[in-house]
Amino acid sequence: MSSSTPIPEPLLVRRARILMPDGEFLVGDVLLAQGKIERVEPEISIASDEEVREIDAAGLTLLPGVIDPQVHFREPGLEHKEDLFTASCACAKGGVTSFLEMPNTRPPTITQAVLDDKLQRAASKCLVNYGFFIGATADNLPDLRTAKPACGIKIFMGSMKGPLWVGEEEALDAIFSQGDRLIAVHAEDQARIEQRREEFAGQTDPAVHSQIQDSTAALMATQLALRLSKKYRRRLHILHLSTGEEAQFLRQDKPEWVTAEVTPQHLLLNTEAYATLGTKAQMNPPLRSPENNEVLWQALLDGVIDFIATDHAPHTLEEKGKTYPNTPSGMPGVETSLPLMLTQAMQGRCTIAQVSNWMSTAVAKAYQIPNKGVISPGYDADLILVDLENYRPVEAKNLSTKCGWSPFEGWNLTGWPVVTVVGGKVAYEKGQLHTEVRGEALQFSQ
């Protein structure tokens, strides 16, 4: 904790159903002090002269705070869609206590100077903890090796124009061959996408988006990234895996130093969503046919896919209301991801412990973020109390994201956060955001 950060008051969470590191539950108390978890016991006694704030968590489940490893929060340069303050408010309401943000801002995050600017912005306005990727271009290799703190290198192999697009194998090889920092790829083959755009030119049905950026475009890029990763034994992370073909490919050939993620929307939505959502269902990589949902779920359950990210990428309703293909790709997600996944757990699709691993523990491990992702003494006090007894629908009027909409509007979900604690400080409580709370810059031990 930095010297400029006020030390939070001690906090005692009482009578919670606590998810323990072994995946079992303990009904008991958790004492937080100086931003850390100090004690986890069936019952904690406090001396009468100690000033400790107590939270009665009877009937609630205590989980490690969610770490969302892929978000696009639009600041600087695109703040009309979202900014770091509104996005971090949405995080706190959704139980996301830390995020890793992508470099496609204006200007793009491709130098130490821009990274420093983002860190300063976040320090002044983020309710939750923050980390940033450094974006790869064809000619910023020195920055990719030295810019810090950065959680990794982001490569847009497709779905990108301008300097952040790096799709040629020669340029990719140069990046993979130098340094040892984690490389995270948006795996789509841009040449195939452009060829198919010509084939489908003039079509305005947004459902055609999934045909233009088809599963072959995704598989081709994933295969190339894996080939380069194996050539140099370079740490590789495949972002937002969307196709059954990619999952099956990784099932056959996934070295120990490679990880992959999936989004709730690729697990729970598919091409049938275009009929009701229209361009709100448009994202990159696109939604796939229904059979892909099942293959991705199985890959997640089997460990072929390692964890979950939202790819929170908001656009205004006005932008989304244009006619395809003049509409931007992306949808918001940080406020709904945890309730969506916990609802699946309550329906028997997976366990609560698996959800917490996919959305917290495994992310901390993959990005080497120390002291996060587990409820245990000595770990950071990033915690969420969720209500698994009651259900309520996703409603646009209740969202904190600046874009003000969700593709899951109307879905009846459980597991909504009741209290979100960031570094021992209550950032959200029973519908109320504590906007004076500030998170901290994440550190990465890689």
Side-chain angles (χ1 to χ4, degrees):
M1 189 168 294
S2 65
S3 58
S4 61
T5 305
I7 296 174
E9 64 177 337
L11 194 61
L12 180 57
V13 180
R14 288 226 185 259
R15 294 176 284 279
R17 181 172 173 243
I18 306 161
L19 178 64
M20 302 299 286
D22 62 1
E24 298 298 318
F25 287 94
L26 167 73
V27 176
D29 300 349
V30 178
L31 178 64
L32 313 178
Q34 297 188 331
K36 300 284 186 182
I37 299 169
E38 190 168 280
R39 295 163 65 187
V40 182
E41 298 170 16
E43 187 172 358
I44 296 175
S45 298
I46 297 295
S48 57
D49 61 343
E50 286 189 65
E51 291 190 17
V52 179
R53 185 195 162 186
E54 293 194 12
I55 293 178
D56 184 358
L60 301 176
T61 299
L62 188 69
L63 303 175
V66 171
I67 306 170
D68 191 334
Q70 191 194 172
V71 299
H72 302 262
F73 283 171
R74 308 305 191 194
E75 184 176 351
L78 297 164
E79 289 91 341
H80 69 283
K81 302 174 190 280
E82 189 81 279
D83 60 60
L84 288 166
F85 175 72
T86 58
S88 68
C89 287
C91 283
K93 284 181 73 173
V96 176
T97 55
S98 300
F99 65 79
L100 304 179
E101 206 259 354
M102 288 297 168
N104 55 327
T105 45
R106 295 180 184 171
T109 317
I110 57 176
T111 66
Q112 183 71 56
V114 180
L115 177 60
D116 288 342
D117 176 65
K118 269 193 176 177
L119 288 161
Q120 289 167 6
R121 289 168 181 264
S124 71
K125 62 179 68 175
C126 278
L127 280 65
V128 301
N129 305 311
Y130 46 89
F132 299 101
F133 281 87
I134 188 80
T137 72
D139 54 12
N140 73 333
L141 283 172
D143 296 275
L144 297 185
R145 297 189 67 174
T146 61
K148 62 181 181 180
C151 56
I153 298 166
K154 168 67 180 285
I155 301 180
F156 288 91
M157 298 175 71
S159 296
M160 175 59 65
K161 298 175 182 177
L164 283 175
W165 174 70
V166 186
E168 301 292 342
E169 183 165 352
E170 183 179 357
L172 290 166
D173 190 285
I175 296 168
F176 273 84
S177 69
Q178 295 188 34
D180 55 10
R181 180 171 276 174
L182 176 149
I183 293 174
V185 295
H186 178 127
E188 289 187 282
D189 184 273
Q190 189 65 25
R192 179 171 177 84
I193 291 172
E194 289 174 2
Q195 170 201 330
R196 290 180 67 78
R197 259 189 206 137
E198 292 181 14
E199 293 175 25
F200 290 89
Q203 299 203 32
T204 58
D205 180 355
V208 80
H209 187 66
S210 293
Q211 294 176 261
I212 294 171
Q213 297 181 209
D214 66 353
S215 59
T216 300
L219 181 61
M220 287 170 64
T222 293
Q223 289 172 329
L224 173 56
L226 187 68
R227 188 165 75 245
L228 291 170
S229 171
K230 290 168 74 173
K231 180 178 179 180
Y232 297 107
R233 288 186 69 89
R234 184 66 181 267
R235 176 76 176 87
L236 171 67
H237 178 64
I238 300 162
L239 299 159
H240 45 40
L241 203 77
S242 65
T243 72
E245 290 97 323
E246 290 169 287
Q248 297 297 65
F249 169 65
L250 289 180
R251 188 180 290 277
Q252 302 302 320
D253 187 4
K254 184 172 176 254
E256 62 182 1
W257 62 86
V258 174
T259 52
E261 71 186 29
V262 67
T263 69
Q265 52 268 35
H266 285 117
L267 292 172
L268 300 172
L269 298 176
N270 53 57
T271 47
E272 294 174 359
Y274 288 113
T276 52
L277 295 176
T279 55
K280 287 182 181 178
Q282 179 189 335
M283 63 174 295
N284 297 331
L287 299 177
R288 306 298 183 185
S289 57
E291 58 269 21
N292 288 275
N293 297 135
E294 297 304 318
V295 182
L296 291 170
W297 262 108
Q298 196 59 53
L300 181 62
L301 290 165
D302 293 344
V304 175
I305 297 173
D306 300 270
F307 48 84
I308 287 169
T310 64
D311 192 20
H312 177 97
H315 302 282
T316 66
L317 285 169
E318 181 183 3
E319 291 167 330
K320 280 289 193 178
K322 295 177 181 176
T323 302
Y324 184 84
N326 302 312
T327 42
S329 294
M331 54 181 68
V334 293
E335 278 170 276
T336 53
S337 58
L338 182 63
L340 283 166
M341 294 306 300
L342 290 174
T343 300
Q344 294 296 305
M346 297 304 287
Q347 292 173 357
R349 196 81 185 256
C350 54
T351 68
I352 295 167
Q354 283 175 314
V355 171
S356 185
N357 179 60
W358 295 331
M359 301 189 76
S360 189
T361 317
V363 180
K365 179 182 176 182
Y367 282 97
Q368 298 182 25
I369 308 170
N371 302 317
K372 296 197 186 292
V374 175
I375 301 177
S376 185
Y379 277 72
D380 292 343
D382 298 334
L383 302 168
I384 41 176
L385 280 167
V386 299
D387 178 2
L388 291 167
E389 302 293 322
N390 298 290
Y391 284 72
R392 66 174 171 84
V394 179
E395 296 180 289
K397 67 181 182 181
N398 292 329
L399 297 174
S400 286
T401 176
K402 190 182 284 189
C403 72
W405 63 274
S406 167
F408 299 103
E409 186 162 6
W411 287 42
N412 203 37
L413 305 178
T414 192
W416 291 98
V418 177
V419 177
T420 299
V421 179
V422 180
K425 297 165 284 191
V426 176
Y428 172 75
E429 185 174 18
K430 298 177 181 176
Q432 181 68 41
L433 285 161
H434 295 282
T435 56
E436 75 283 359
V437 169
R438 292 292 174 265
E440 298 204 325
L442 295 170
Q443 302 301 314
F444 310 97
S445 55
Q446 59 180 331

